[in-house]
């Protein structure tokens, strides 16, 4: 209980931030559909979010070094509030895309500050519990954010005003806390080449993970709308995907620590292709079948990022792990920028089923590449422990580095 209270301000800011930013993506899809945006324009909104996300990941550690944690958080939250409220001033999709860059920067920037603060305040004795609690809070808030779509009417200014208020409210816990901020962190160097040197398979894995998750989160509501789901059911559809990903973490971690991680990656991709094949006809069998297929899709696709990161860390030294985490996040962000644009184009050209056809094709590529890599080198005898890796900031690697080393 003492640990929960000591990090209460950080965790409350995470919850409010997730409720604001996590709801914006699907709300924009539903609003854009109602306003007559085409699928490519809606996909552009999702890609713009990840452009801002990448900028925030790279820029915020340097901003913290100049103005401190609290002011950096305030700057990023202000970008988020402006990005959300700006939607009410225009109905131009390309201006909305610029606003989504601001909201993406807010998400990455605020998480960077929170994770740097949390990492500096935890001790070796409570690091594992603090990390687990942080991940539980983040995942629960993400789940609630998807469910909020059920009560936020699309293309109505009040919905964006509510999200703006939540973004502003995320400022209060950190601004009012009496806990002193930690010393300024050093910004991790961004060396994408390091990830490829450690594990080409991990790089392909995080890109395929981005393809799956970004497409589902940013373009999935188009699929739901096209198969006849109302906004409330679309909210449950997206929440089912998040729930499936959360439920998969423990069993996937157990398997990843017991067996060759490359076979687990390949097996997950086979299951992902199966989940795509089951999702395509699910709309003909009613809402329950659609929700069940979304849970299965989350179960099979979400763990791929953490599993790929664990595999890459098996080939990295202790000194490389923070920069390796940043490099993997770079590839994830790159894939997430491209995925909504490509997926939305395919949906516009071939129909809603193209979303899962494209994801299945990506996992087929991961299977092929994984089998090829297994012929190149063996897995190391000593491996790091599997650790669930949130896709939140470049600085999360500092916390995960110590968690892996503590558990070895």
């Amino acid at each position: 209980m003492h640990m929960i209270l000591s990090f209460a301000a950080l965790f409350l800011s995470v919850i409010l931030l997730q409720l604001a930013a996590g709801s914006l993506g699907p709300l924009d899809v539903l609003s854009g559909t109602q306003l007559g945006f085409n699928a490519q324009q809606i996909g552009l909104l999702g890609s713009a979010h990840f452009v801002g996300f990448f900028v925030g990941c790279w820029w915020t550690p340097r901003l913290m070094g100049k103005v401190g944690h609290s002011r950096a958080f305030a700057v990023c939250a202000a970008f988020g509030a402006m990005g959300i409220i700006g939607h009410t001033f225009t109905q131009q999709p390309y201006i909305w895309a610029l606003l989504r860059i601001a909201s993406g920067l807010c998400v990455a920037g605020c998480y960077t500050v929170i994770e740097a603060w949390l990492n500096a305040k935890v001790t070796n004795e409570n690091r594992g519990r603090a990390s687990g609690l942080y991940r539980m809070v983040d995942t629960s808030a993400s789940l609630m954010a998807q469910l909020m779509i059920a009560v936020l009417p699309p293309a109505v200014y009040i919905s964006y005003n509510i999200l703006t208020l939540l973004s502003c409210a995320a400022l209060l816990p950190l601004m009012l806390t009496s806990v002193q901020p930690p010393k300024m962190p050093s910004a991790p160097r961004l060396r994408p080449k390091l990830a490829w040197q450690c594990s080409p398979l991990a790089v392909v894995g995080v890109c395929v993970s981005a393809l799956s998750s970004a497409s589902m989160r940013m373009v999935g509501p188009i699929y739901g709308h096209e198969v006849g789901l109302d906004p409330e059911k679309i909210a449950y559809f997206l929440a089912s995907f998040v729930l499936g990903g959360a439920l998969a973490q423990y069993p996937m971690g157990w398997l990843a620590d017991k067996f060759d991680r490359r076979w687990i990656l390949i097996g997950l991709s086979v299951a992902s292709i199966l989940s795509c094949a089951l999702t395509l006809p699910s709309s003909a069998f009613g809402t329950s079948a659609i929700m069940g297929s979304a849970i299965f899709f989350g179960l099979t696709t979400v763990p791929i990022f953490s599993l790929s990161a664990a595999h890459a860390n098996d080939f990295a030294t202790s000194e490389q792990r923070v920069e390796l985490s940043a490099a993997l996040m770079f590839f994830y962000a790159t894939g997430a920028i491209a995925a909504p644009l490509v997926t939305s184009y395919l949906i516009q050209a071939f129909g809603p089923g193209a979303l899962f056809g494209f994801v299945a094709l990506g996992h087929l590529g991961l299977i092929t590449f994984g089998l090829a890599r297994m012929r190149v080198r063996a897995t190391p005898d000593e491996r790091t422990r599997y650790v669930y890796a949130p896709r939140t900031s470049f600085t999360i690697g500092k916390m995960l580095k110590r968690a892996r080393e503590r558990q070895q």
Side-chain angles (χ1 to χ4, degrees):
M1 182 60 68
H2 174 73
M3 183 182 66
I4 295 176
L5 292 176
S6 64
F7 294 127
L10 293 173
F11 292 155
L12 183 55
S13 289
V14 167
I15 292 171
L16 293 170
L17 178 67
Q18 266 286 14
L19 291 178
S23 303
L24 181 61
L27 178 62
D28 266 1
V29 175
L30 297 177
S31 298
T33 301
Q34 189 164 312
L35 294 172
F37 296 1
N38 62 39
Q40 283 182 275
Q41 290 169 333
I42 293 174
L44 177 64
L45 301 181
S47 295
H49 169 87
F50 285 104
V51 170
F53 175 85
F54 174 78
V55 173
C57 283
W58 179 85
W59 177 59
T60 307
R62 292 152 181 82
L63 179 65
M64 280 193 292
K66 293 181 178 179
V67 302
H69 290 71
S70 298
R71 289 176 179 172
F73 188 91
V75 168
C76 294
F79 272 110
M82 290 187 293
I84 297 172
I85 198 64
H87 285 69
T88 63
F89 300 147
T90 180
Q91 296 180 357
Q92 294 297 320
Y94 300 107
I95 296 179
W96 278 26
L98 292 175
L99 295 170
R100 286 296 298 275
I101 292 175
S103 63
L105 186 154
C106 164
V107 171
C110 290
Y111 269 105
T112 297
V113 174
I114 289 169
E115 289 165 2
W117 198 318
L118 183 63
N119 181 65
K121 291 297 183 180
V122 296
T123 65
N124 288 334
E125 288 72 27
N126 66 11
R127 185 175 300 277
R129 286 177 294 152
S131 299
L133 183 59
Y134 168 64
R135 293 192 295 265
M136 183 182 71
V137 168
D138 181 52
T139 302
S140 300
S142 178
L143 187 62
M144 289 188 291
Q146 310 311 309
L147 293 174
M148 280 183 62
I149 300 305
V151 297
L152 293 176
V156 175
Y157 78 92
I158 190 65
S159 298
Y160 289 97
N161 285 357
I162 291 172
L163 297 188
T164 302
L165 290 173
L166 288 170
S167 183
C168 293
L171 277 163
L172 299 179
L174 281 186
M175 296 301 103
L176 296 177
T177 183
S178 59
V179 178
Q180 290 297 314
K183 295 180 180 179
M184 302 307 164
S186 58
R189 287 190 300 167
L190 183 55
R191 296 198 297 155
K193 185 178 179 181
L194 175 63
W196 186 264
Q197 290 172 340
C198 289
S199 174
L201 178 58
V203 171
V204 175
V206 298
C207 288
V208 172
S209 174
L211 162 65
S212 306
S213 295
S215 296
M216 185 65 164
R217 283 178 173 269
M218 299 299 175
V219 186
I222 298 180
Y223 172 84
H225 180 266
E226 292 292 328
V227 299
L229 298 180
D230 59 33
E232 181 178 0
K233 291 178 181 177
I234 289 174
Y236 295 145
F237 176 66
L238 295 175
S240 297
F241 166 72
V242 174
L243 178 62
L247 294 175
Q249 293 304 325
Y250 181 80
M252 285 303 108
W254 183 83
L255 290 170
D257 287 340
K258 193 172 182 63
F259 301 104
D260 188 331
R261 287 168 180 170
R262 296 170 299 181
W263 281 118
I264 306 301
L265 267 176
I266 291 170
L268 271 177
S269 280
V270 171
S272 298
I273 293 174
L274 177 61
S275 73
C276 291
L278 292 175
T279 301
L280 289 174
S282 64
S283 59
F285 297 94
T287 302
S288 297
I290 295 175
M291 302 307 164
S293 66
I295 291 176
F296 188 34
F297 185 77
L299 278 166
T300 58
T301 58
V302 172
I304 286 179
F305 180 90
S306 296
L307 188 56
S308 299
H311 181 62
N313 275 276
D314 291 342
F315 298 95
T317 65
S318 177
E319 293 74 20
Q320 291 175 324
R321 286 190 177 125
V322 173
E323 292 183 2
L324 174 61
S325 175
L328 291 173
M329 281 296 301
F330 165 81
F331 283 107
Y332 179 86
T334 301
I337 290 170
L341 273 177
V342 175
T343 307
S344 61
Y345 171 80
L346 293 174
I347 287 177
Q348 186 167 309
F350 302 106
L355 165 63
F356 294 100
F358 182 51
V359 172
L361 186 62
H363 284 280
L364 180 61
L366 179 56
I367 293 170
T368 304
F369 192 73
L371 292 172
R373 288 298 303 173
M374 292 182 73
R375 298 171 62 91
V376 176
R377 67 178 176 183
T379 190
D381 295 330
E382 294 187 7
R383 299 184 296 169
T384 61
R385 291 291 300 273
Y386 174 93
V387 177
Y388 167 58
R391 299 172 295 280
T392 46
S393 76
F394 285 176
T395 60
I396 189 65
K398 294 184 178 181
M399 186 185 304
L400 300 184
K401 170 181 177 289
R402 297 184 185 180
R404 286 190 173 96
E405 291 173 352
R406 188 180 64 83
Q407 296 179 68
Q408 280 185 303

mmCIF file of all heavy atoms in Angstrom, residues 261-281:
data_model
loop_
_atom_site.group_PDB
_atom_site.id
_atom_site.type_symbol
_atom_site.label_atom_id
_atom_site.label_comp_id
_atom_site.label_asym_id
_atom_site.label_seq_id
_atom_site.Cartn_x
_atom_site.Cartn_y
_atom_site.Cartn_z
ATOM 1 N N ARG A 261 12.763 -19.038 -28.180
ATOM 2 C CA ARG A 261 11.876 -17.912 -28.451
ATOM 3 C C ARG A 261 11.547 -17.763 -29.927
ATOM 4 O O ARG A 261 10.506 -17.226 -30.289
ATOM 5 C CB ARG A 261 12.499 -16.629 -27.899
ATOM 6 C CG ARG A 261 12.431 -16.590 -26.401
ATOM 7 C CD ARG A 261 13.262 -15.532 -25.765
ATOM 8 N NE ARG A 261 13.098 -15.620 -24.306
ATOM 9 C CZ ARG A 261 13.826 -14.961 -23.434
ATOM 10 N NH1 ARG A 261 14.784 -14.154 -23.847
ATOM 11 N NH2 ARG A 261 13.611 -15.099 -22.139
ATOM 12 N N ARG A 262 12.408 -18.249 -30.778
ATOM 13 C CA ARG A 262 12.126 -18.157 -32.212
ATOM 14 C C ARG A 262 10.948 -19.044 -32.584
ATOM 15 O O ARG A 262 10.097 -18.653 -33.399
ATOM 16 C CB ARG A 262 13.375 -18.522 -33.007
ATOM 17 C CG ARG A 262 14.532 -17.553 -32.785
ATOM 18 C CD ARG A 262 15.825 -18.051 -33.373
ATOM 19 N NE ARG A 262 16.233 -19.307 -32.762
ATOM 20 C CZ ARG A 262 17.351 -19.962 -33.081
ATOM 21 N NH1 ARG A 262 18.160 -19.470 -33.995
ATOM 22 N NH2 ARG A 262 17.647 -21.093 -32.483
ATOM 23 N N TRP A 263 10.874 -20.232 -31.977
ATOM 24 C CA TRP A 263 9.734 -21.100 -32.239
ATOM 25 C C TRP A 263 8.448 -20.499 -31.675
ATOM 26 O O TRP A 263 7.372 -20.642 -32.272
ATOM 27 C CB TRP A 263 9.963 -22.487 -31.652
ATOM 28 C CG TRP A 263 10.859 -23.361 -32.479
ATOM 29 C CD1 TRP A 263 12.062 -23.900 -32.132
ATOM 30 C CD2 TRP A 263 10.604 -23.798 -33.828
ATOM 31 N NE1 TRP A 263 12.581 -24.634 -33.174
ATOM 32 C CE2 TRP A 263 11.712 -24.606 -34.220
ATOM 33 C CE3 TRP A 263 9.570 -23.591 -34.742
ATOM 34 C CZ2 TRP A 263 11.798 -25.194 -35.472
ATOM 35 C CZ3 TRP A 263 9.650 -24.186 -36.002
ATOM 36 C CH2 TRP A 263 10.753 -24.967 -36.353
ATOM 37 N N ILE A 264 8.542 -19.820 -30.529
ATOM 38 C CA ILE A 264 7.355 -19.173 -29.967
ATOM 39 C C ILE A 264 6.887 -18.044 -30.881
ATOM 40 O O ILE A 264 5.683 -17.878 -31.121
ATOM 41 C CB ILE A 264 7.628 -18.638 -28.547
ATOM 42 C CG1 ILE A 264 8.173 -19.747 -27.645
ATOM 43 C CG2 ILE A 264 6.350 -18.060 -27.953
ATOM 44 C CD1 ILE A 264 7.248 -20.925 -27.510
ATOM 45 N N LEU A 265 7.839 -17.266 -31.404
ATOM 46 C CA LEU A 265 7.483 -16.207 -32.354
ATOM 47 C C LEU A 265 6.792 -16.781 -33.587
ATOM 48 O O LEU A 265 5.760 -16.260 -34.045
ATOM 49 C CB LEU A 265 8.742 -15.438 -32.776
ATOM 50 C CG LEU A 265 9.122 -14.183 -32.008
ATOM 51 C CD1 LEU A 265 10.448 -13.635 -32.512
ATOM 52 C CD2 LEU A 265 8.035 -13.121 -32.110
ATOM 53 N N ILE A 266 7.368 -17.839 -34.124
ATOM 54 C CA ILE A 266 6.788 -18.467 -35.312
ATOM 55 C C ILE A 266 5.403 -19.028 -34.989
ATOM 56 O O ILE A 266 4.445 -18.860 -35.756
ATOM 57 C CB ILE A 266 7.727 -19.566 -35.838
ATOM 58 C CG1 ILE A 266 8.999 -18.924 -36.415
ATOM 59 C CG2 ILE A 266 7.035 -20.410 -36.904
ATOM 60 C CD1 ILE A 266 10.098 -19.912 -36.742
ATOM 61 N N GLY A 267 5.289 -19.677 -33.826
ATOM 62 C CA GLY A 267 3.996 -20.215 -33.428
ATOM 63 C C GLY A 267 2.943 -19.133 -33.248
ATOM 64 O O GLY A 267 1.779 -19.300 -33.634
ATOM 65 N N LEU A 268 3.346 -18.004 -32.649
ATOM 66 C CA LEU A 268 2.414 -16.887 -32.490
ATOM 67 C C LEU A 268 1.959 -16.349 -33.843
ATOM 68 O O LEU A 268 0.787 -15.995 -34.021
ATOM 69 C CB LEU A 268 3.071 -15.766 -31.686
ATOM 70 C CG LEU A 268 2.937 -15.809 -30.167
ATOM 71 C CD1 LEU A 268 3.719 -14.658 -29.544
ATOM 72 C CD2 LEU A 268 1.478 -15.743 -29.734
ATOM 73 N N SER A 269 2.882 -16.277 -34.785
ATOM 74 C CA SER A 269 2.502 -15.777 -36.109
ATOM 75 C C SER A 269 1.559 -16.741 -36.820
ATOM 76 O O SER A 269 0.636 -16.315 -37.524
ATOM 77 C CB SER A 269 3.757 -15.527 -36.956
ATOM 78 O OG SER A 269 4.356 -14.290 -36.618
ATOM 79 N N VAL A 270 1.777 -18.040 -36.638
ATOM 80 C CA VAL A 270 0.838 -19.023 -37.202
ATOM 81 C C VAL A 270 -0.544 -18.819 -36.587
ATOM 82 O O VAL A 270 -1.574 -18.805 -37.287
ATOM 83 C CB VAL A 270 1.342 -20.458 -36.950
ATOM 84 C CG1 VAL A 270 0.266 -21.478 -37.340
ATOM 85 C CG2 VAL A 270 2.620 -20.730 -37.739
ATOM 86 N N ALA A 271 -0.572 -18.650 -35.257
ATOM 87 C CA ALA A 271 -1.846 -18.411 -34.580
ATOM 88 C C ALA A 271 -2.465 -17.088 -35.017
ATOM 89 O O ALA A 271 -3.697 -16.970 -35.110
ATOM 90 C CB ALA A 271 -1.632 -18.434 -33.068
ATOM 91 N N SER A 272 -1.620 -16.082 -35.287
ATOM 92 C CA SER A 272 -2.134 -14.786 -35.752
ATOM 93 C C SER A 272 -2.814 -14.921 -37.113
ATOM 94 O O SER A 272 -3.864 -14.321 -37.356
ATOM 95 C CB SER A 272 -0.999 -13.760 -35.831
ATOM 96 O OG SER A 272 -0.432 -13.531 -34.567
ATOM 97 N N ILE A 273 -2.206 -15.690 -37.994
ATOM 98 C CA ILE A 273 -2.819 -15.920 -39.305
ATOM 99 C C ILE A 273 -4.157 -16.635 -39.132
ATOM 100 O O ILE A 273 -5.149 -16.308 -39.800
ATOM 101 C CB ILE A 273 -1.870 -16.729 -40.199
ATOM 102 C CG1 ILE A 273 -0.630 -15.888 -40.539
ATOM 103 C CG2 ILE A 273 -2.564 -17.178 -41.482
ATOM 104 C CD1 ILE A 273 0.445 -16.636 -41.290
ATOM 105 N N LEU A 274 -4.184 -17.595 -38.209
ATOM 106 C CA LEU A 274 -5.443 -18.297 -37.928
ATOM 107 C C LEU A 274 -6.488 -17.328 -37.383
ATOM 108 O O LEU A 274 -7.666 -17.381 -37.774
ATOM 109 C CB LEU A 274 -5.190 -19.425 -36.932
ATOM 110 C CG LEU A 274 -6.424 -20.212 -36.475
ATOM 111 C CD1 LEU A 274 -7.098 -20.887 -37.663
ATOM 112 C CD2 LEU A 274 -6.040 -21.248 -35.422
ATOM 113 N N SER A 275 -6.055 -16.412 -36.490
ATOM 114 C CA SER A 275 -7.014 -15.448 -35.932
ATOM 115 C C SER A 275 -7.555 -14.529 -37.019
ATOM 116 O O SER A 275 -8.735 -14.159 -37.004
ATOM 117 C CB SER A 275 -6.351 -14.635 -34.816
ATOM 118 O OG SER A 275 -5.422 -13.700 -35.326
ATOM 119 N N CYS A 276 -6.708 -14.147 -37.980
ATOM 120 C CA CYS A 276 -7.173 -13.320 -39.100
ATOM 121 C C CYS A 276 -8.188 -14.087 -39.947
ATOM 122 O O CYS A 276 -9.213 -13.527 -40.370
ATOM 123 C CB CYS A 276 -5.992 -12.891 -39.967
ATOM 124 S SG CYS A 276 -4.865 -11.710 -39.182
ATOM 125 N N ALA A 277 -7.899 -15.377 -40.174
ATOM 126 C CA ALA A 277 -8.804 -16.203 -40.976
ATOM 127 C C ALA A 277 -10.154 -16.381 -40.288
ATOM 128 O O ALA A 277 -11.205 -16.434 -40.945
ATOM 129 C CB ALA A 277 -8.169 -17.563 -41.249
ATOM 130 N N LEU A 278 -10.139 -16.458 -38.947
ATOM 131 C CA LEU A 278 -11.396 -16.610 -38.212
ATOM 132 C C LEU A 278 -12.166 -15.293 -38.119
ATOM 133 O O LEU A 278 -13.399 -15.292 -38.042
ATOM 134 C CB LEU A 278 -11.103 -17.135 -36.807
ATOM 135 C CG LEU A 278 -10.573 -18.567 -36.708
ATOM 136 C CD1 LEU A 278 -10.207 -18.904 -35.272
ATOM 137 C CD2 LEU A 278 -11.600 -19.558 -37.245
ATOM 138 N N THR A 279 -11.436 -14.169 -38.101
ATOM 139 C CA THR A 279 -12.090 -12.867 -37.969
ATOM 140 C C THR A 279 -12.865 -12.504 -39.232
ATOM 141 O O THR A 279 -13.948 -11.904 -39.152
ATOM 142 C CB THR A 279 -11.045 -11.780 -37.665
ATOM 143 O OG1 THR A 279 -10.357 -12.111 -36.455
ATOM 144 C CG2 THR A 279 -11.698 -10.424 -37.505
ATOM 145 N N LEU A 280 -12.336 -12.850 -40.378
ATOM 146 C CA LEU A 280 -12.965 -12.445 -41.637
ATOM 147 C C LEU A 280 -14.422 -12.901 -41.756
ATOM 148 O O LEU A 280 -15.283 -12.096 -42.118
ATOM 149 C CB LEU A 280 -12.138 -12.975 -42.816
ATOM 150 C CG LEU A 280 -10.786 -12.270 -43.025
ATOM 151 C CD1 LEU A 280 -9.985 -12.963 -44.115
ATOM 152 C CD2 LEU A 280 -10.999 -10.807 -43.374
ATOM 153 N N PRO A 281 -14.751 -14.174 -41.441
ATOM 154 C CA PRO A 281 -16.162 -14.573 -41.553
ATOM 155 C C PRO A 281 -16.970 -14.357 -40.272
ATOM 156 O O PRO A 281 -18.161 -14.670 -40.242
ATOM 157 C CB PRO A 281 -16.058 -16.078 -41.855
ATOM 158 C CG PRO A 281 -14.836 -16.517 -41.124
ATOM 159 C CD PRO A 281 -13.882 -15.338 -41.181
#
